[in-house]
Amino acid sequence: MTISLSQDDYWSLVCSSELSVPPLDSFDVIWQYPEALGQGYFRETYLRDGLELAIADYQSHDDIITESCDRNHPLEYTFDLSPQNHNLSEAPSYAFFGSGMACNERRQQIAHQPIRWVSVHIEPVVFESYAGTPNDPIPPTLQHLIRDPNQEFYGRSGQATAAMQIILQQICQCPYQGFTKRLFLESKVWELMALILEQELEYQQEKPLVAKLKPDDVDRLHQAKAILQQNLDQPPSLAQLARQVGLNECTLKQGFRRVFDTTVFGYVRQCRMERARLLLMQGQMSVHEAAQAVGYASQSRFANAFRKAFGVNPKTFSSQPWH
């Protein structure tokens, strides 16, 4: 069965449902996902006027199609933490949008698929108050993020870095209440925004270079990425990888950096650390076993790499109540 609703009607149903958990703070609102549609919750935290954090974890009984009309869109970033959309070797994806006009859109939600995300909405005036002073104006390479309400908004996708994933964990597992919680969460959403903007600046600078790559070269670079994901414990050398995908080493190195915003072995290291992090969170492996599973023969080298990626020793990380 497929249910079709306008976006307004869908959110009216969600917001009319009873609170699943009484909020501990006045700036938190928690809605139970309507039982008629599925199960789970939506949570909104109002950090200040024009700055909101939302966290959701739900699934529907049936396929749901929603349609939205043209509307004004704030700046927004949303991290997709749904388990079916990334695996042990791949970081979660995110979508980043500037302000402007969002055109009519049709979305489909698949029955029984867990939906989990963390999203932040920032009104343009709030963003400009941080970034647009006479002595520190918004740089030209970021001015495309603030557009006229009649102009279509900007958007792109990306993959979460190790630093972003740590902040997401801190947001989802915030240990504070009251004023301290609000202060902590606001600092974290801006910290995430800073990391996204850093990637955005790099993306804008390198976009003309990416355009020079042939479509066939880009396809081969994606093949190289898939090969690395499948061989994290024993990745091929640059020469071997270049031969496997039919590129010369120079195009492989430069193209990989331009398309994926990291070096070949920087990507291997990032994937290894992400897989190790998830293995330790699952609680089924010791630090030594996790190190071996991602290709580290030396536990000390693994510990140094893990600490550099996540800012914490793997033994300390594995002792946390993740599971």
Side-chain angles (χ1 to χ4, degrees):
M1 175 178 171
T2 299
I3 300 172
S4 295
L5 294 167
S6 71
Q7 189 72 7
D8 288 343
D9 288 343
Y10 176 76
W11 282 109
S12 293
L13 275 174
V14 171
C15 296
S16 66
S17 59
E18 295 181 0
L19 297 179
S20 58
V21 180
L24 297 176
D25 298 297
S26 60
F27 50 84
D28 264 344
V29 180
I30 306 171
W31 290 286
Q32 178 181 331
Y33 195 66
E35 291 184 3
L37 298 181
Q39 59 186 9
Y41 71 89
F42 289 91
R43 179 178 196 145
E44 286 192 351
T45 303
Y46 298 88
L47 300 174
R48 64 170 60 221
D49 287 345
L51 180 63
E52 297 177 8
L53 164 69
I55 299 174
D57 187 345
Y58 62 95
Q59 58 184 298
S60 59
H61 299 317
D62 303 292
D63 290 355
I64 298 177
I65 295 175
T66 57
E67 295 194 28
S68 60
C69 301
D70 293 358
R71 63 203 184 282
N72 288 332
H73 200 285
L75 284 92
E76 175 190 334
Y77 59 80
T78 299
F79 286 83
D80 183 358
L81 307 181
S82 304
Q84 70 272 11
N85 290 338
H86 61 92
N87 54 43
L88 288 176
S89 64
E90 189 169 335
S93 63
Y94 70 85
F96 178 49
F97 305 103
S99 67
M101 181 185 69
C103 296
N104 150 328
E105 185 179 20
R106 190 173 188 266
R107 293 184 180 181
Q108 182 170 12
Q109 185 174 308
I110 305 300
H112 306 300
Q113 280 197 356
I115 306 294
R116 297 173 190 162
W117 46 256
V118 172
S119 185
V120 172
H121 286 195
I122 306 169
E123 290 298 331
V125 66
V126 177
F127 180 73
E128 289 175 312
S129 72
Y130 276 86
T133 64
N135 295 327
D136 187 22
I138 297 174
T141 46
L142 292 180
Q143 289 177 359
H144 61 284
L145 299 178
I146 306 293
R147 292 183 176 173
D148 184 274
N150 295 318
Q151 185 181 9
E152 186 174 356
F153 70 112
Y154 166 82
R156 71 165 175 85
S157 60
Q159 277 195 313
T161 63
M164 291 177 186
Q165 291 174 70
I166 287 293
I167 298 169
L168 288 166
Q169 288 176 3
Q170 292 170 335
I171 287 173
C172 293
Q173 299 169 10
C174 175
Y176 306 111
Q177 298 298 330
F179 172 78
T180 309
K181 173 182 176 180
R182 198 171 193 172
L183 189 65
F184 176 83
L185 290 176
E186 182 167 353
S187 71
K188 292 301 172 182
V189 301
W190 284 119
E191 191 175 354
L192 263 181
M193 185 61 158
L195 294 174
I196 291 170
L197 291 179
E198 183 180 36
Q199 285 193 341
E200 181 65 20
L201 287 168
E202 293 176 357
Y203 175 77
Q204 292 299 324
Q205 290 166 1
E206 294 189 357
K207 188 165 56 173
L209 299 174
V210 175
K212 294 180 181 179
L213 289 169
K214 298 176 183 177
D216 183 60
D217 289 343
V218 175
D219 289 342
R220 293 173 189 272
L221 289 168
H222 280 277
Q223 291 174 22
K225 181 182 177 184
I227 290 170
L228 293 173
Q229 288 176 352
Q230 295 163 9
N231 297 277
L232 291 180
D233 54 340
Q234 291 185 322
S237 67
L238 274 174
Q240 291 171 331
L241 185 61
R243 283 197 298 272
Q244 287 183 53
V245 299
L247 293 173
N248 63 54
E249 285 189 51
C250 181
T251 301
L252 174 64
K253 289 191 292 186
Q254 294 184 2
F256 203 94
R257 176 70 177 86
R258 293 171 185 172
V259 173
F260 303 117
D261 197 30
T262 185
T263 64
V264 171
F265 289 107
Y267 179 72
V268 170
R269 187 165 53 250
Q270 177 184 331
C271 288
R272 282 176 161 179
M273 290 301 99
E274 173 57 16
R275 176 177 287 180
R277 182 185 72 87
L278 292 175
L279 290 172
L280 292 176
M281 285 179 68
Q282 290 170 355
Q284 298 176 357
M285 285 190 180
S286 66
V287 172
H288 176 69
E289 290 170 334
Q292 289 189 320
V294 297
Y296 279 84
S298 166
Q299 191 167 329
S300 62
R301 287 184 62 192
F302 170 72
N304 288 335
F306 193 94
R307 189 163 47 247
K308 184 176 180 180
F310 301 115
V312 63
N313 187 283
K315 187 174 182 180
T316 303
F317 182 86
S318 65
S319 67
Q320 299 298 314
W322 306 114
H323 37 274

